[in-house]
Every structure is written in structure tokens, then in C-alpha cells.
């Protein structure tokens, strides 16, 4: 039926971010098989509503790239404060849209547990729950890099579970190219996320990502060492959150450096009531659980509330960017003769260093059934006997409750404080 004089004819939809582009030339007879006509490209003008117009040949390549690639929405799993660096990586290395996840809830772990085997570790369940919520928020690419324990093999299993649940997405699993040349990393990013990734631009910004991770860990170290003695309740947490918000807005290495300077200045300016000999506690353990507040039930915040100076050497900086297995193994040669697993050397070396530096206690954190960290326990016990340093062992699963954790931490702190007071006399 022909349209009336005041009625516009129906036109095919042309969604700006759809994966399947509608070729406007499908309405132009013989030209329907291509988008190039005699050295020019036909596009819809006026915001996609018409009429047709020709773009000159000199702009054809640039415009074709822009039109043929829809920006993808990329999500990572939740992991401590590193979502800030993940965001920078997605936006400025992959040139894609980052899907920011809200803080996890009980539903998150319940979703992950419901669709997981009882035999897998708690981090698997946390990450799977994160992925489900990310897909619900519209992510079409999920990133997995977890490891280097058996969690490095979990990406394929999580992908299979999610596809069985009916989700459609791409899995950018860096575990599949670990140890391979840089070209393999670039290839998988182009295939899964953005075929037009600029390699020089991406490499430059990847170096900025590494710098950002080091900055985030530096500020958090300062926070852990002093927040337990703040003169104004909540001042350190507010300053750290303001710093995180500032760093999220960074778009280049200069922005990162300026946000870092402002964050360190703000934290150092806060008044504290720190005693000359505070109770000092070191945290060691499994890569995911020891560093992620959602996985360890805010262990660090609970310890800070008791009034301790906290240290945690397990960070992405120390485990991924500056890691030296040979030096670590040499430092624990009296206790370890073999490679015990991905985080074992760092766990044991950190605990031994804390004991040698006169720390009052160490908290060992792991997920239930984490084999490498289970193997560390006898070695840590020996270090405790040799040095007289108390150790608290915490194992987490999806059923661990705040109540039991609070009781154990309070008892541990009371023991450390009494031991320290007795040593003064």
C-alpha cells in the first residue's frame, strides 16, 4: 500500500550499536550487495532518517571501520578495588565499554553456588555469580584471567555453565594464552572484543594500567597501616573512596600520577592516634580470598576496627608485576625445598618476614579446599614454633558467617594485645 502524502514510508531499523548492521543500500535495487558505489559509500543522512548521501572516497576506510564494528560491552569479575584498573583497560586498551558491577550481595554468591559443583572452591562461585549479574546488566564479553592455580582452568567450565543457562556472550579468557607471545594476546583481544584495536595505543595504555595497579596498591598499603588509628571515625575510608573515584576518571598516565599525588596527600594529612608500639598483624594466603573483601567478609575492615596496623603483601603488584620466585624461594630455603604452588612461596616468605620484623601475629586466609594453601599450613606452623609468632587460620566457603569470624578475630586480637602488654613488663 502506498503511503499517504503526510505519511512517511516504513524504513528498516538502523540501531547504532547493533551487531548486525542493516545495509541501507538494500532499498536501492542492484546495489544491495555492497556498501560501495563507484568509489563512494552510501549512508543514511540526517541521523539515520534519510535522505541518502555519498561520502567521498578519502573518508571511506575510516567510516567503514566505525560502522562495521559495534562497541562491545565488557565485564570483569569483582576483585577488590582492581575494577578501577579493569575499567581503564577496557576503555583505553580495548576501546570498548566497561560494564561496572555494583557491590555484591548475598544473591551474588547464591547464584554462583546454585550453578556450581559443591567440590569447587568459593572463588569459582563468587566469579560465576559475578558473571551472571554482568550478563543481566547487558555485558556481551566476559573477561577471565584467574589463576595461576586450578582456577586458571575454570574459565572454560564457567563458560560452559553460562551457555547451558542460555546466555549468549564471548569469553575473553587470557588463561588460554598465558606464557605465549604478545601477538597471541593481541589476536584474542581483536577476535573477541574489537577488531580495530590499535596496537601502539593499546601497548602504551597497558603500561599505564600497570602503573595504575601499583598506585592503587601503594595507597591501600598506606590505608591499612594507619586507618586503625584514625582520630575521626571513617575519615580514612572516605579519603580512600574519594581517591578511588578520582582514579576512575583517569584517562592517561598523567591523570593517574596526579590522582595518586592527591590521594597520598589526603591520606597523609589525616590525624591519627597511633601508639609508638601498635599491634601489628600481617595477612597472607590465597590469591583471591585474601585480597577480596567480598570473599573474606571484610576481614581487613574488621581488624582495623580492633585497632591494629595491617600489612598484606599479597597484591597484584607483588604477585603479578614484581614477582620473583627465585628470590622468594631463596628466602625460605630453610623451610621449603620444592615449588608448592602458585601463592605458596609468597605466603610462606611473607609470614617469615613478618615474624623476623617483630609482627605480633599473622592471619592465614584461604578458600576451603585450596590445595596449595593447605600445604602451606604445616610450614606456617613450623615458622610459628620457631619464632613464637601466633597464627590464625581462616578458611572460607559460601556458608561462612560474620558472627563466627568476628568472635575469632576478637579473641585473636585480645591474645596479641595481652602478649604485647606482658612483654613490656
Amino acid at each position: 500500500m502506498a503511503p499517504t502524502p503526510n505519511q512517511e514510508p516504513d524504513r528498516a531499523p538502523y540501531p547504532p550499536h547493533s551487531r548486525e548492521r542493516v545495509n541501507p543500500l538494500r532499498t536501492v535495487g542492484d546495489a544491495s550487495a555492497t556498501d560501495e558505489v563507484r568509489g563512494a559509500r552510501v549512508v543514511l543522512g540526517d541521523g539515520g532518517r534519510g535522505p541518502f548521501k555519498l561520502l567521498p572516497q578519502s573518508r571511506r576506510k575510516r567510516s567503514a571501520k566505525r560502522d562495521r564494528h559495534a562497541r562491545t560491552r565488557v565485564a570483569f569479575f569483582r576483585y577488590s578495588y582492581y575494577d578501577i584498573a579493569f575499567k581503564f583497560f577496557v576503555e583505553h586498551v580495548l576501546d570498548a565499554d566497561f560494564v561496572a558491577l555494583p557491590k555484591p550481595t548475598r544473591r551474588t554468591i547464591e547464584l554462583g553456588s546454585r550453578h556450581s559443583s559443591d567440590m569447587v572452591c568459593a572463588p569459582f562461585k563468587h566469579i560465576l555469580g559475578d558473571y551472571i549479574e554482568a550478563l543481566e546488566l547487558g555485558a556481551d564479553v566476559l573477561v577471565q584471567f584467574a589463576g595461576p592455580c586450578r582456577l586458571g582452568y575454570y574459565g572454560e567450565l564457567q563458560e560452559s555453565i553460562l551457555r547451558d543457562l542460555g546466555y549468549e556472550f564471548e569469553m575473553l579468557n587470557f588463561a588460554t594464552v598465558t606464557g605465549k607471545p604478545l601477538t597471541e594476546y593481541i589476536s584474542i583481544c581483536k577476535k573477541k572484543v574489537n577488531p580495530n584495536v590499535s596496537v601502539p595505543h593499546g601497548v602504551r595504555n597497558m603500561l599505564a594500567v600497570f602503573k595504575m595497579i601499583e598506585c592503587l596498591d601503594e595507597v591501600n598499603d598506606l590505608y591499612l597501616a594507619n586507618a586503625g588509628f584514625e582520630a575521626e571515625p571513617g575519615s580514612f575510608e572516605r579519603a580512600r573512596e574519594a581517591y578511588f573515584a578520582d582514579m576512575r576518571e583517569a584517562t592517561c598516565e598523567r591523570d593517574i600520577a596526579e590522582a595518586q599525588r592527591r590521594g597520598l596527600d589526603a591520606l597523609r594529612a589525616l590525624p591519627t592516634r597511633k601508639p609508638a608500639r601498635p599491634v601489628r598483624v600481617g595477612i597472607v594466603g590465597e590469591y583471591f580470598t585474601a585480597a577480596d573483601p567480598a570473599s573474606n567478609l571484610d576481614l581487613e575492615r574488621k581488624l582495623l576496627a580492633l585497632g591494629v596496623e595491617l600489612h598484606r603483601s599479597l597484591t597484584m603488584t607483588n604477585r603479578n608485576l614484581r614477582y620473583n620466585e627465585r628470590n622468594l624461594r631463596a628466602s625460605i630455603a630453610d623451610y621449603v625445598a620444592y615449588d608448592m604452588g602458585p601463592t605458596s612461596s609468597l605466603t610462606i616468605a611473607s609470614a617469615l618476614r613478618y615474624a623476623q620484623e617483630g609482627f605480633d601475629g599473622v592471619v592465614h586466609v584461604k578458600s576451603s579446599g585450596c590445595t596449595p594453601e593447605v600445604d602451606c599450613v604445616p610450614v606456617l606452623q613450623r615458622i610459628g614454633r620457631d619464632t613464637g609468632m601466633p597464627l590464625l587460620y581462616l578458611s572460607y566457603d559460601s556458608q561462612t558467617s560474620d558472627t563466627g569470624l568476628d568472635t575469632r578475630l576478637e579473641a585473636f586480637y585480645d591474645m596479641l594485645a595481652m602478649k604485647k602488654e606482658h612483654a613490656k613488663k
Side-chain angles (χ1 to χ4, degrees):
M1 177 182 297
T4 61
N6 296 325
Q7 178 183 353
E8 291 189 5
D10 293 335
R11 291 190 175 95
Y14 193 66
H17 300 295
S18 171
R19 288 195 173 191
E20 292 190 22
R21 298 299 188 193
V22 178
N23 192 336
L25 289 176
R26 293 184 186 277
T27 62
V28 201
D30 295 338
S32 62
T34 177
D35 63 356
E36 296 176 15
V37 180
R38 295 183 182 178
R41 188 168 60 87
V42 182
V43 297
L44 286 173
D46 190 25
R49 294 188 296 272
F52 294 114
K53 65 178 180 179
L54 296 180
L55 293 183
Q57 173 70 16
S58 60
R59 295 178 58 187
R60 182 185 61 81
K61 289 186 178 179
R62 181 180 175 186
S63 299
K65 279 190 174 183
R66 183 179 67 244
D67 288 346
R68 289 172 182 170
H69 170 61
R71 286 180 66 87
T72 51
R73 292 171 53 80
V74 182
F76 278 72
F77 52 83
R78 298 176 177 95
Y79 183 49
S80 191
Y81 44 74
Y82 296 115
D83 65 291
I84 302 169
F86 299 160
K87 176 178 182 291
F88 189 95
F89 172 77
V90 170
E91 294 179 346
H92 302 288
V93 176
L94 299 181
D95 190 22
D97 295 330
F98 179 70
V99 179
L101 300 180
K103 289 186 177 181
T105 63
R106 187 64 192 173
R107 176 181 182 267
T108 308
I109 186 62
E110 288 175 351
L111 279 173
S113 300
R114 184 186 311 157
H115 301 293
S116 302
S117 166
D118 290 339
M119 303 303 294
V120 299
C121 61
F124 181 98
K125 300 171 185 177
H126 283 280
I127 294 173
L128 185 61
D130 293 344
Y131 283 157
I132 293 174
E133 293 186 337
L135 291 168
E136 290 175 348
L137 289 173
D140 45 31
V141 176
L142 303 177
V143 180
Q144 171 66 280
F145 67 88
C149 59
R150 63 183 179 181
L151 197 59
Y153 299 97
Y154 281 170
E156 292 88 343
L157 180 55
Q158 289 165 336
E159 180 178 0
S160 178
I161 291 171
L162 292 170
R163 294 202 187 284
D164 287 344
L165 292 174
Y167 292 106
E168 295 183 5
F169 62 97
E170 292 284 354
M171 176 69 84
L172 178 58
N173 188 357
F174 285 114
T176 63
V177 292
T178 299
K180 294 184 179 181
L182 176 62
T183 53
E184 295 289 334
Y185 287 85
I186 296 172
S187 176
I188 194 174
C189 289
K190 286 189 171 186
K191 179 180 179 182
K192 300 287 187 177
V193 181
N194 181 359
N196 303 319
V197 166
S198 168
V199 175
H201 180 78
V203 170
R204 183 170 61 251
N205 281 328
M206 194 68 219
L207 296 176
V209 173
F210 296 155
K211 180 64 177 178
M212 177 180 282
I213 290 172
E214 292 178 340
C215 289
L216 292 169
D217 288 336
E218 181 185 12
V219 165
N220 195 63
D221 288 346
L222 180 62
Y223 166 82
L224 293 179
N226 296 282
F229 312 99
E230 58 190 7
E232 179 185 347
S235 59
F236 270 80
E237 181 67 23
R238 290 191 294 272
R240 188 179 67 154
E241 288 300 319
Y243 161 76
F244 287 160
D246 196 10
M247 193 64 87
R248 283 191 181 93
E249 298 301 316
T251 60
C252 62
E253 193 161 356
R254 172 186 280 185
D255 292 347
I256 293 171
E258 292 176 352
Q260 185 69 5
R261 176 184 54 78
R262 290 190 292 267
L264 289 172
D265 289 347
L267 284 171
R268 289 168 178 160
L270 293 174
T272 61
R273 297 169 182 166
K274 193 171 185 177
R277 296 180 67 248
V279 174
R280 294 192 298 166
V281 175
I283 296 176
V284 301
E286 177 250 309
Y287 184 85
F288 192 89
T289 308
D292 183 54
S295 301
N296 60 38
L297 300 180
D298 270 331
L299 171 67
E300 292 173 348
R301 185 174 285 113
K302 293 176 187 294
L303 284 168
L304 291 173
L306 294 172
V308 304
E309 178 183 312
L310 271 182
H311 293 257
R312 172 170 53 81
S313 59
L314 179 70
T315 61
M316 287 192 75
T317 296
N318 294 332
R319 183 57 188 86
N320 299 99
L321 305 183
R322 303 178 187 171
Y323 189 73
N324 190 312
E325 174 69 19
R326 179 179 295 180
N327 289 347
L328 287 175
R329 288 281 295 283
S331 71
I332 56 176
D334 292 340
Y335 293 93
V336 174
Y338 306 99
D339 183 3
M340 298 174 60
T343 52
S344 301
S345 295
L346 183 58
T347 292
I348 295 168
S350 298
L352 181 59
R353 178 170 60 85
Y354 292 146
Q356 294 169 341
E357 293 179 359
F359 275 56
D360 298 287
V362 163
V363 179
H364 179 237
V365 183
K366 67 176 182 64
S367 60
S368 180
C370 177
T371 306
E373 293 300 323
V374 168
D375 292 340
C376 289
V377 171
V379 185
L380 294 176
Q381 290 173 334
R382 183 181 166 196
I383 291 174
R385 289 194 299 268
D386 292 348
T387 62
M389 183 182 63
L391 290 105
L392 175 65
Y393 301 95
L394 298 177
S395 185
Y396 291 81
D397 59 29
S398 56
Q399 303 301 320
T400 304
S401 69
D402 281 284
T403 303
L405 177 62
D406 291 344
T407 302
R408 295 187 67 188
L409 292 179
E410 290 168 5
F412 186 64
Y413 171 79
D414 289 343
M415 178 190 67
L416 298 182
M418 288 188 291
K419 185 173 181 285
K420 196 173 190 72
E421 187 64 29
H422 180 74
K424 292 181 182 178
K425 300 177 181 178

